[in-house]
Amino acid sequence: MKKILVFGSSNTDMVIQAEHLPLPGETILGGKFTMHAGGKGANQAVAAARMGGNVTFIAKVGNDLFGQQARQQFVTEGITTDYILTDPDHPSGVALITVDNKGENSIVVASGSNATLSPSDVSAAIELIDSDTVVLLQLEIPIPTVEYIIEQSNSRGAQVILNPAPANSLHKEIYNYLYLLTPNETELSLLTNITVNDIPSAERAAQILHKRGVKNIIVTMGASGAFWYSGTDSQLIPAPKVDAIDTTGAGDIFNGVLCVFLAEGYSLPETIHYACQASAISVTRMGAQSSAPYRKELQKV
């Protein structure tokens, strides 16, 4: 199996379950409060580790209780933590999440130490990258750092996967270095200025990204599954039907699992099937990292 390097954010998620998402100025009483480990990078690293991946996580946490707890959790999950830095000046990231009774969520993130992860901070981890590496990134760390990692990873022959969440603009040449781009419908719309709400619109938008240089685009489409476009092939991979109670982290689970099956040499359609399964399982549970399934829970494709 190829080694998997996940560069990204680590947060503590503070979650309140409520009947509905509050309107501007509205106060809702009676919600249930829980805390979970989160952050897109951390979620994806844990999801990959639970699938049996050889995972190293590169991040920056604060010198506080949240940061200490996060490090210990990664060790418990079997993730290599040698390249997680401590920021002495900024707190660990936190996310405030409201989840309604249909499983939809509203999230505000205070990035904290995540926002200080610099190219120099990741330079030591970059030396681990070669042609036997899958590199996974998101956009909850500074864009210049993301672009530096992508450029360096591509030059070393790694397969680079970018989950463009939250959506943000990148220098045009960066797209040429991506093996996979994995937006959801909203992110794909923002990246291409095409309103994506069905398969034909997803394909039109994916064609734009392919022309920019991305080799493969996988659009996560919630309960419908995921749409894959490569320029020569396109396919909707359906998701298992489930009763969702919390969609927080579902896309992160998808991306983490995707990396493992790619690292093991599965085809993209097979890989997407497994990622859809795992994501569907995750939305039947509360939390982000805590909802990530283990490999034994997946059905063989």
Side-chain angles (χ1 to χ4, degrees), residues 9-13 36-43 70 74 140 252 288-289:
S9 57
S10 175
N11 293 325
T12 298
D13 293 344
H36 306 275
K40 286 188 170 298
N43 297 344
F74 301 141
E140 284 189 337
D252 298 332
Q289 286 172 39

Side-chain angles (χ1 to χ4, degrees), residues 178-181 202-219 226-236 267-269 272:
L178 299 177
Y179 176 70
L180 257 176
L181 189 71
E203 183 159 7
R204 289 195 301 273
Q207 287 170 349
I208 291 174
L209 295 174
H210 189 263
K211 288 177 181 177
R212 292 180 189 172
V214 183
K215 294 177 180 63
N216 296 277
I217 298 94
I218 298 175
V219 188
F227 175 71
W228 167 50
Y229 180 84
S230 69
T232 55
D233 293 297
S234 63
Q235 185 178 354
L236 176 67
S267 70
L268 269 176
I272 297 167

Side-chain angles (χ1 to χ4, degrees), residues 75-272:
V75 171
T76 301
E77 295 286 354
I79 296 168
T80 299
T81 61
D82 297 349
Y83 300 90
I84 298 178
L85 291 83
T86 299
D87 186 331
D89 301 317
H90 298 85
S92 298
V94 296
L96 306 180
I97 303 173
T98 305
V99 180
D100 70 13
N101 58 12
K102 297 178 181 177
E104 293 300 322
N105 60 56
S106 176
I107 305 174
V108 179
V109 176
S111 297
S113 54
N114 294 307
T116 71
L117 187 69
S118 68
S120 62
D121 288 332
V122 302
S123 58
I126 291 290
E127 297 302 317
L128 300 174
I129 298 172
D130 56 26
S131 58
D132 280 329
T133 310
V134 175
V135 174
L136 175 61
L137 307 101
Q138 330 73 36
L139 300 180
E140 284 189 337
I141 57 176
I143 297 300
T145 304
V146 171
E147 293 182 336
Y148 171 77
I149 296 165
I150 291 172
E151 290 170 349
Q152 293 295 316
S153 300
N154 179 73
S155 70
R156 287 166 166 77
Q159 282 185 315
V160 183
I161 302 171
L162 175 63
N163 175 220
N168 208 325
S169 59
L170 301 167
H171 286 107
K172 289 183 179 179
E173 65 270 17
I174 293 297
Y175 290 100
N176 293 300
Y177 306 147
L178 299 177
Y179 176 70
L180 257 176
L181 189 71
T182 60
N184 62 22
E185 292 163 283
T186 300
E187 292 151 1
L188 183 58
S189 298
L190 292 170
L191 290 171
T192 62
N193 292 319
I194 289 179
T195 301
V196 177
N197 49 26
D198 55 19
I199 298 303
S201 58
E203 183 159 7
R204 289 195 301 273
Q207 287 170 349
I208 291 174
L209 295 174
H210 189 263
K211 288 177 181 177
R212 292 180 189 172
V214 183
K215 294 177 180 63
N216 296 277
I217 298 94
I218 298 175
V219 188
T220 53
M221 305 185 75
S224 298
F227 175 71
W228 167 50
Y229 180 84
S230 69
T232 55
D233 293 297
S234 63
Q235 185 178 354
L236 176 67
I237 310 294
K241 302 301 180 186
V242 297
D243 293 324
I245 64 169
D246 181 12
T247 58
T248 307
D252 298 332
I253 307 304
F254 182 95
N255 280 275
V257 173
L258 200 70
C259 285
V260 175
F261 287 92
L262 279 177
E264 293 182 8
Y266 284 77
S267 70
L268 269 176
E270 289 173 322
T271 295
I272 297 167

